[in-house]
Amino acid sequence: MRYSQMFIPTLKEAPADAQVPSHKLLVRAGFIRQLSAGIYSVLPLAQRSLNKIQAIIRDEMNAIGGQEFHLPALSPRELWEESGRWTGMGENMFRLKDRKGADLCLAMTHEEVFTAIARGEVRSYKQLPQFWYQIQTKFRDEPRPKSGLLRVRQFTMKDSYSFDFDWEGLDRSYEAHRHAYERIFERCGLTFVQVDADTGAMGGKASTEFMVKTDAGEDLIAFNVESGYAANVEKATSVIPAEEDETGPEKPEKFPTPGVRTIEDLEQPPFEVSAKRQIKTLVYMVNGNLVLALLRGDHELVEAKLAAAAGSTDHRPAHPEEIRSALGALPGSLGAVGVRGLKILADHALQGRTNMVTGANEDGFHLRGVVPGRDFTPEWVDLRLVKEGELDPKGQRPLQVAKALELGHIFKLGLRYSQTMGATVLGPDGKESPIVMGSYGIGVERILAASVELHHDDDGILWPMSIAPFQVALLPLQPNDPQVKETTEKLYQQLTAAGVEVLLDDRDERPGVKFKDADLIGLPVRVAVGKKALAQGKVEWKKRDSKEIELKSLDDLQREFAVLGALAGRGR
RNA sequence: CGGGGAGUGGCUCAGCCUGGUAGAGCACUUGGUUCGGGACCAAGGGGUCGCAGGUUCAAAUCCUGUCUCCCCGACCA
C-alpha cells in the first residue's frame, strides 16, 4: 500500500481530552476518531489490525470446534423478559421502540438469543456439546465512557457459548476455551494474567478474567507470583492476623458519643477505640430491601461481594432518610444490635470477636461490649476488600495489588439461562434435562488498545508483528532521486511478492517527517532507502523496538523478507 | 446519578475578569528556496465563538436556561 493513497491522518498533538497512552497514540497515529462519548470510528490502519486480531480469534475458536454465527444486534423485549434481564440489565441497555411501539433493545451480550436457538433446535444429548460463537457489535450505555477504546458504548466482541449435557462437559468446554484464550492473547503479543472473578450480571457459578496489567486498567487484581494465586479484588480473599479481644461486659453498654460521625472520630480521645475494635455498619438498598453490611472498622466494603452475598441484581447505598426511618438514627451511630426484620450480613473478620464498639441506633450514642453472634445474628459472608501485603488464602504469601484491564472473561453459566428459558435435551434415560451452558467473551478493540498500552514509547506505538497494520514501513528518503526511487520500487515489488505487507511512504516529504510518522504509526520494521547507504549498495533496516540501524545488502533483505513473509502468511 | 472542569477555523490554545464587531502556532492551498529526525520565506482559503433566550447603542466577553465533551466515584469486554 502506498502512503499517498491511504487515509492516515496523523497529528502532531494529542487531543486535549485524551488521558491514557493508547487513546492519545491511536488518535495521533490516525487509527481512530471519536464520534461521540464512547463511540469511535475505526480508520483504515486500525481496521487492518482489527482484522488480524479477528483472524487470530477465529483461528483459535475454530481450532476448538467453534462454529461461527452472526446474530442480530436488535432484539425483542419478550426474549429478555424470559431471562429476567430486560429489567436486570438496568440502564446499561440501549432500548428503542419500533414504529408499532414494540420494545426492542440493542443486545449487550447474546445468551438469550443463542439459548433461544438451542432450545428450538437441539433436542438430544447426542447433539451436544456445541460451541457457538460470533464476532459482533455490542452496545452498552455505559454510565461513564472513558480512556479512548478502553471503555466505550459500542464495541466488537467475540462471544461464544458452550452447550453441554452435564457439568463435566461444561468443565471440558470451559478448559477448552481457557486454552484457546491463552493462545489468542499470546499470539496477539500480550502479557496477561488469569484471575478468579465475580460473575456479576451474567450469573453463573464461576468465572475467570483474562487481564493485562496496566495503569490504564480500571480493575484491581490481587496476586502472588510464587503461589500462583490471582483474583480480582471483587473476589479476592486473604488471611489476616487474628485480633485478641479482652473480655467485655455481659451485655452491651450504651455510652454517649456526641458529635461522633466516623470511625476516625471514635479513635480520637476521649474514646480511643481502635478501628479494629469497631464494627462498621453500612446500609444498602438491595432489590428494594434494606440490608445491613457489617465490617471491621478499618476494612472496606466490596460492593460486588455484597451484591453476590445478597443475590442482588440492583443495589445502591441507602439514602439517609431511608436509614433513619428504618433504624432510628443517621449514619455515624448505626449498629446491628436490636435490629429486627432486616437482613444482616457480617464479614468473616468479625466472627469470634468480642467486646466490640458499634453505633446504638440513637444519634450521639454508641454501644460497647458488643459480641457479634450473641448480640445480633448475622449471616457470615465475605465482604472485605483485600489489601496489599495481606497473605493469600492458600500459600500464605503476601499479596500484591495492581491495576489491570479486562480483555476476556469466561463464565460457567450452568443452568442460569437454560432453566429460565426452558432449553432442555433428552438424556440417554429419556428424561429432559436443562442444557449446561458456558459463555465466553473477548473485547476485540480492547486487544488493540491493550497492545498499545503495553507496547509504546515517547515516539509512538510498537506493534507486535502479528497484529501490526503492515509489517514493514518502506521509506524512500529522497523520493525524487532516480536511484532511490528505482531501488524502493524494486524492494516494494519483492516484499509484496514475498507476502509481506508494506506501507510505502511515497510522499514527497522530508526524511524527518517520514521518520516521525513511521515511529508514531509503529510498524515493526523500517526499511529506509537513502542516497548515503545506497552508495555502498545497501539500505537501512531498523526494528521499531531497537535503536540500532543495520545496513543490509539487497540479498540480505531477500532472506529477511522470506522470514517476514512466512510470519505474515501464518497470521502471526 | 453525585462531585469537578471545558466548549473560540481540522488540531493545540489565547482573547472573556474590565462588552466596541475574532487572533496565534500546527494543518491546508499557491509560488519560491530547501532536503537524513516533524524546514524557511511570501501570498492565500477557512470560524453561526456549542445552542436558545435575556441585558445593552453594541455580547466570544455580562445574566438565565439548555446541550455536548472530559475528569473523579458506583458498572463491564
Side-chain angles (χ1 to χ4, degrees):
Chain A
M1 181 69 74
R2 287 167 198 272
Y3 199 118
S4 64
Q5 290 164 14
M6 193 164 174
F7 182 61
I8 308 177
T10 59
L11 299 172
K12 286 187 182 175
E13 290 177 279
D17 51 17
Q19 309 285 323
V20 299
S22 65
H23 187 191
K24 290 181 188 172
L25 289 172
L26 287 171
V27 172
R28 280 194 57 209
F31 282 70
I32 58 171
R33 285 294 184 267
Q34 180 171 350
L35 182 62
S36 179
I39 305 179
Y40 284 84
S41 300
V42 168
L43 276 35
L45 281 180
Q47 184 60 29
R48 293 182 68 96
S49 283
L50 290 171
N51 283 342
K52 294 189 174 187
I53 292 167
Q54 293 186 21
I56 290 171
I57 292 173
R58 282 196 173 90
D59 197 33
E60 295 298 337
M61 292 311 298
N62 293 343
I64 60 168
Q67 305 164 68
E68 186 167 3
F69 282 57
H70 190 76
L71 267 37
L74 269 177
S75 192
R77 170 178 182 158
E78 291 72 24
L79 188 63
W80 293 76
E81 286 191 329
E82 285 190 53
S83 67
R85 293 209 293 183
W86 179 260
T87 49
M89 285 297 196
E91 297 282 293
N92 267 25
M93 189 150 73
F94 279 105
R95 294 151 205 270
L96 63 155
K97 287 183 186 297
D98 68 13
R99 62 172 67 200
K100 296 176 195 157
D103 287 311
L104 299 164
C105 68
L106 295 172
M108 301 169 61
T109 172
H110 281 80
E111 280 76 14
E112 281 80 358
V113 185
F114 270 115
T115 304
I117 294 174
R119 90 174 146 192
E121 317 294 339
V122 179
R123 287 288 140 75
S124 163
Y125 75 99
K126 293 177 187 171
Q127 294 169 278
L128 300 179
Q130 293 281 334
F131 288 0
W132 295 352
Y133 79 97
Q134 62 173 342
I135 296 175
Q136 205 239 21
T137 304
K138 298 287 193 271
F139 299 87
R140 296 186 184 177
D141 195 0
E142 290 289 339
R144 194 153 100 72
K146 57 178 283 199
S147 304
L149 292 184
L150 295 183
R151 179 167 218 73
V152 292
R153 298 195 291 170
Q154 172 177 342
F155 62 99
T156 311
M157 179 156 94
K158 187 290 300 178
D159 48 323
S160 49
Y161 304 83
S162 65
F163 302 86
D164 278 282
F165 179 59
D166 54 25
W167 293 89
E168 292 71 37
L170 171 60
D171 291 343
R172 285 192 295 274
S173 298
Y174 190 78
E175 289 308 313
H177 272 88
R178 182 197 302 284
H179 292 129
Y181 275 37
E182 288 167 352
R183 291 193 46 78
I184 288 167
F185 296 126
E186 279 164 15
R187 286 178 63 181
C188 288
L190 298 168
T191 305
F192 63 96
V193 289
Q194 298 183 41
V195 304
D196 290 338
D198 178 55
T199 54
M202 299 295 287
K205 299 285 179 196
S207 75
T208 300
E209 288 170 329
F210 291 77
M211 296 283 204
V212 164
K213 277 186 229 166
T214 160
D215 283 339
E218 302 180 83
D219 284 278
L220 288 173
I221 58 173
F223 60 97
N224 179 282
V225 178
E226 291 99 61
S227 75
Y229 179 78
N232 193 307
V233 294
E234 292 182 347
K235 184 90 173 184
T237 58
S238 64
V239 176
I240 53 174
E243 294 297 315
E244 297 288 331
D245 293 319
E246 295 153 24
T247 314
E250 289 294 305
K251 57 178 186 177
E253 296 172 357
K254 185 158 79 171
F255 65 104
T257 51
V260 169
R261 297 299 312 275
T262 65
I263 301 286
E264 291 72 40
D265 291 346
L266 260 186
E267 289 194 286
Q268 299 304 313
F271 310 107
E272 296 189 351
V273 180
S274 137
K276 293 180 178 182
R277 290 191 49 227
Q278 298 185 45
I279 301 174
K280 182 188 284 187
T281 307
L282 302 168
V283 186
Y284 272 75
M285 184 66 84
V286 178
N287 294 342
N289 300 308
L290 288 182
V291 171
L292 297 193
L294 273 40
L295 292 137
R296 202 171 87 183
D298 59 329
H299 288 160
E300 267 185 81
L301 173 72
V302 177
E303 284 200 16
K305 290 184 175 181
L306 172 68
S312 154
T313 51
D314 177 40
H315 60 275
R316 61 168 171 80
H319 301 314
E321 322 83 66
E322 294 167 340
I323 295 172
R324 182 190 272 287
S325 67
L327 296 180
L330 289 172
S333 303
L334 302 179
V337 179
V339 170
R340 297 270 144 70
L342 297 184
K343 179 179 275 211
I344 302 172
L345 299 172
D347 183 70
H348 294 306
L350 295 174
Q351 207 157 6
R353 300 293 304 278
T354 59
N355 201 18
M356 304 284 284
V357 172
T358 188
N361 288 333
E362 184 176 339
D363 287 336
F365 289 91
H366 278 72
L367 297 173
R368 62 183 155 221
V370 174
V371 179
R374 179 191 72 181
D375 301 319
F376 57 88
T377 310
E379 203 176 304
W380 297 104
V381 296
D382 173 40
L383 295 176
R384 177 174 62 90
L385 179 68
V386 304
K387 292 193 188 122
E388 179 138 340
E390 293 171 354
L391 300 178
D392 75 45
K394 306 182 225 164
Q396 310 290 290
R397 294 172 199 269
L399 291 173
Q400 279 182 271
V401 174
K403 290 178 97 175
L405 174 67
E406 182 186 0
L407 295 182
H409 200 161
I410 60 178
F411 298 86
K412 287 187 184 178
L413 291 177
L415 310 179
R416 163 71 180 83
Y417 295 92
S418 52
Q419 225 156 36
T420 51
M421 296 179 63
T424 60
V425 291
L426 286 182
D429 55 359
K431 285 185 182 154
E432 275 197 18
S433 67
I435 299 174
V436 187
M437 290 175 55
S439 97
Y440 316 87
I442 290 180
V444 177
E445 291 90 346
R446 268 196 188 172
I447 291 180
L448 188 81
S451 180
V452 179
E453 292 294 340
L454 255 33
H455 311 300
H456 70 268
D457 61 19
D458 290 344
D459 292 317
I461 302 172
L462 283 71
W463 291 109
M465 194 65 82
S466 59
I467 63 172
F470 297 88
Q471 283 107 32
V472 172
L474 180 58
L475 311 188
L477 300 182
Q478 298 86 14
N480 297 321
D481 178 89
Q483 201 188 349
V484 169
K485 189 170 182 177
E486 185 191 337
T487 307
T488 304
E489 289 296 333
K490 196 168 130 202
L491 283 174
Y492 183 62
Q493 300 302 334
Q494 287 177 348
L495 274 164
T496 305
V500 179
E501 293 169 303
V502 190
L503 182 62
L504 166 58
D505 194 345
D506 58 340
R507 296 175 299 170
D508 187 13
E509 290 285 356
R510 300 157 63 86
V513 172
K514 295 186 179 183
F515 289 140
K516 286 290 185 188
D517 275 334
D519 286 344
L520 181 59
I521 293 168
L523 304 182
V525 174
R526 186 185 86 191
V527 175
V529 182
K531 280 194 281 193
K532 279 187 195 169
L534 218 47
Q536 310 169 41
K538 297 192 172 176
V539 298
E540 295 169 22
W541 170 279
K542 179 180 170 300
K543 293 194 169 165
R544 178 62 180 87
D545 60 4
S546 161
K547 291 202 189 314
E548 285 178 35
I549 295 175
E550 299 173 57
L551 290 183
K552 288 186 186 284
S553 69
L554 298 189
D555 288 342
D556 290 340
L557 275 181
Q558 279 287 15
R559 284 188 283 278
E560 298 282 0
F561 294 170
V563 173
L564 276 181
L567 286 173
R570 288 214 307 273
R572 41 189 93 181

